[in-house]
Amino acid sequence: MKEEMDRAQAELNALKRTEEDLKKGHQKLEEMVTRLDQEVAEVDKNIELLRKKDEELSSALEKMENQSENNDIDEVIIPTAPLYKQILNLITVQVSLPSWLSQVQLELLSQILQCGAFPVKKAFHVRLLSRKQFQLRALMQKARKTAGLSDLY
């Protein structure tokens, strides 16, 4: 009878340990489920926030596209100081000088255009444009030096 009692007691102790382990496991599972619910709620909030930001970006992009169609590039670029505006204007004038100066030089070098066939009026115009280009470069160097920018030439 004592053996039977010891065996029953051992089974009872084993069942109690199993019950305690199951309760601890159940508690851990409940904590995990609670944590997962919190994370799901946080992810849902982040998804909603991202949707709002996406809508804001889409509307801003659409607005920018509409503005870019209506705006002139000269209105977009605004120098911060009068000296920078002068440098920008000098660059635009210099770049806008006729590119045919180099074309005439290439023609003369390749002997397509003979020196004797070159009209005096064109030569005078080339000389004036070259002088203007030189003056623009000199003025730009002076303006860049005054602004504290590096030399281009």
Side-chain angles (χ1 to χ4, degrees):
M1 180 89 144
K2 185 165 176 133
E3 284 179 14
E4 193 64 34
M5 263 310 254
D6 288 342
R7 188 179 58 79
Q9 188 64 33
E11 280 184 29
L12 186 60
N13 288 340
L15 288 174
K16 283 185 180 180
R17 279 189 300 242
T18 304
E19 180 185 19
E20 287 175 10
D21 289 344
L22 287 174
K23 284 183 181 179
K24 286 179 185 177
H26 179 71
Q27 186 178 8
K28 284 182 182 179
L29 285 174
E30 284 182 351
E31 289 173 1
M32 291 171 108
V33 167
T34 305
R35 205 171 336 130
L36 283 174
D37 288 341
Q38 289 172 351
E39 288 179 5
V40 165
E42 188 175 329
V43 166
D44 288 341
K45 268 199 262 182
N46 287 337
I47 288 172
E48 187 60 34
L49 180 66
L50 286 173
R51 283 188 183 138
K52 287 180 183 177
K53 293 291 182 182
D54 185 43
E55 289 173 5
E56 289 176 16
L57 285 174
S58 297
S59 65
L61 181 62
E62 185 177 318
K63 184 178 177 183
M64 292 289 288
E65 286 175 351
N66 290 338
Q67 284 181 349
S68 67
E69 292 173 1
N70 299 333
N71 284 348
D72 187 19
I73 190 70
D74 294 333
E75 295 174 4
V76 176
I77 300 173
I78 301 170
T80 57
L83 185 58
Y84 295 138
K85 185 175 184 177
Q86 181 184 11
I87 292 171
L88 181 66
N89 288 337
L90 288 171
I91 289 171
T92 55
V93 169
Q94 183 181 354
V95 169
S96 68
L97 283 177
S99 63
W100 61 269
L101 285 174
S102 60
Q103 183 64 35
V104 168
Q105 183 182 11
L106 288 174
E107 288 175 2
L108 284 172
L109 289 175
S110 65
Q111 296 179 349
I112 294 173
L113 181 63
Q114 299 296 323
C115 240
F118 196 64
V120 175
K121 191 173 184 179
K122 275 192 175 181
F124 181 73
H125 192 61
V126 168
R127 185 173 166 230
L128 284 177
L129 288 175
S130 298
R131 181 180 293 151
K132 185 175 182 178
Q133 186 178 28
F134 173 78
Q135 290 171 346
L136 285 171
R137 285 183 180 174
L139 186 58
M140 192 171 4
Q141 279 183 338
K142 185 176 180 182
R144 288 181 67 83
K145 186 177 180 182
T146 304
L149 301 171
S150 63
D151 288 336
L152 291 177
Y153 309 107

